[in-house]
Amino acid sequence: MNPSKPVSPARTPVIAQIVRPGAPAKPDGAPPSDSYHHGALRVALLAATEQILLEQGLEGFTLRACARRAGVSHGAPAHHFGDVRGLLTAFATSGYQRMAAMMHSERVRAGPDSYAQLMSVGQVYIDFALAHRAQFQLMFRTDRIDETDPQFATAAQATFDQLDGVLARFLNESNCFDDAILAKLVLAWSTVHGFACLLLEGRMQYFFKGKSRADFAREMGQQMLALLRHALAAGQADAS
């Protein structure tokens, strides 16, 4: 799959199964206001969504709670996003947009070496999950988001294309969907996703040995990705 290949809006993204939300939302109790410009209202509602998900999880999320946190009228979220699913889908979409942008930026910073780019994309995946827990977890909750939403599909596919593209380049392949290569793509994705999820769920503290979660994630992430290099390069005589 070519990273720059356009995606049909109706296509369900492979990975789904990043524009920053913006300034902090208004505290609960602030008087409702509909004085936001259209774009600012969207930003405020997405920021409120993030705060509520971090504090209360999906179980505590409602449009009324989001409106209250953003300091707007109760009808504003529904008017802007339609329903809870629409708002959560927009929030997940912004997460994919942000992650894809971070991956692209780090690939550029890594320079032309394909292995350095692969390492940078893997580390971005882990770093993003730790820095944006609520958003990262929602991005894979297919029961709560609309995968057929065109903007969501495009954003999710763009993120996946970064992973597919950097691995294909490392393996000197056009894409990673041939049967002989697909297992390596699944291995790479499963490694970073699984590690990130274990960190988020607090299943790695025993191994920290006095390190902060961020330091452990960075050091162990680099070691795991280095080990992964050999598994991915197996059978690829020309892999750099």
Side-chain angles (χ1 to χ4, degrees):
M1 183 179 299
N2 190 320
S4 62
K5 183 180 178 180
V7 178
S8 171
R11 177 181 177 182
T12 299
V14 177
I15 199 172
Q17 312 233 87
I18 306 181
V19 179
R20 192 174 182 82
K26 294 182 180 180
D28 287 340
S33 170
D34 289 326
S35 61
Y36 289 104
H37 293 295
H38 182 79
L41 174 60
R42 177 184 177 85
V43 168
L45 290 171
L46 291 178
T49 298
E50 183 165 36
Q51 292 176 5
I52 294 170
L53 291 179
L54 282 171
E55 296 169 8
Q56 304 175 34
L58 280 168
E59 294 74 16
F61 187 82
T62 65
L63 290 184
R64 290 178 69 87
C66 185
R68 186 165 55 250
R69 180 64 64 94
V72 298
S73 66
H74 290 158
H79 178 75
H80 203 83
F81 296 101
D83 55 17
V84 168
R85 194 176 189 86
L87 178 49
L88 292 178
T89 298
F91 184 56
T93 298
S94 73
Y96 279 118
Q97 291 170 343
R98 193 191 317 189
M99 185 186 281
M102 290 169 62
M103 286 179 171
H104 175 74
S105 177
E106 289 304 309
R107 285 181 70 179
V108 172
R109 186 176 313 199
D113 182 73
S114 62
Y115 174 63
Q117 288 190 20
L118 181 65
M119 290 281 284
S120 69
V121 166
Q123 196 62 57
V124 163
Y125 198 102
I126 297 166
D127 291 346
F128 180 89
L130 297 184
H132 308 285
R133 173 177 183 149
Q135 194 165 45
F136 177 80
Q137 291 175 326
L138 177 66
M139 285 156 58
F140 298 92
R141 286 293 302 269
T142 56
D143 59 324
R144 301 301 298 270
I145 55 182
D146 180 9
E147 292 185 276
T148 66
D149 177 82
Q151 291 184 338
F152 175 84
T154 298
Q157 189 65 48
T159 306
F160 180 81
D161 286 350
Q162 287 292 326
L163 176 60
D164 173 66
V166 74
L167 182 56
R169 187 172 184 274
F170 174 71
L171 298 175
N172 289 319
E173 299 285 347
S174 59
N175 63 66
C176 296
F177 282 82
D178 291 337
D179 289 344
I181 307 299
L182 183 59
K184 295 184 178 184
L185 175 62
V186 174
L187 173 63
W189 186 10
S190 299
T191 298
V192 292
H193 188 83
F195 181 57
C197 289
L198 286 169
L199 285 169
L200 291 178
E201 295 303 323
R203 296 300 183 181
M204 288 282 176
Q205 281 94 326
Y206 177 80
F207 306 112
F208 286 5
K209 298 181 179 179
K211 298 175 183 176
S212 69
R213 186 178 72 169
D215 287 342
F216 174 81
R218 173 68 57 169
E219 294 176 17
M220 185 58 68
Q222 292 294 309
Q223 292 178 45
M224 290 173 57
L225 290 168
L227 291 171
L228 188 63
R229 176 182 190 176
H230 301 293
L232 295 175
Q236 302 293 134
D238 298 324
S240 61

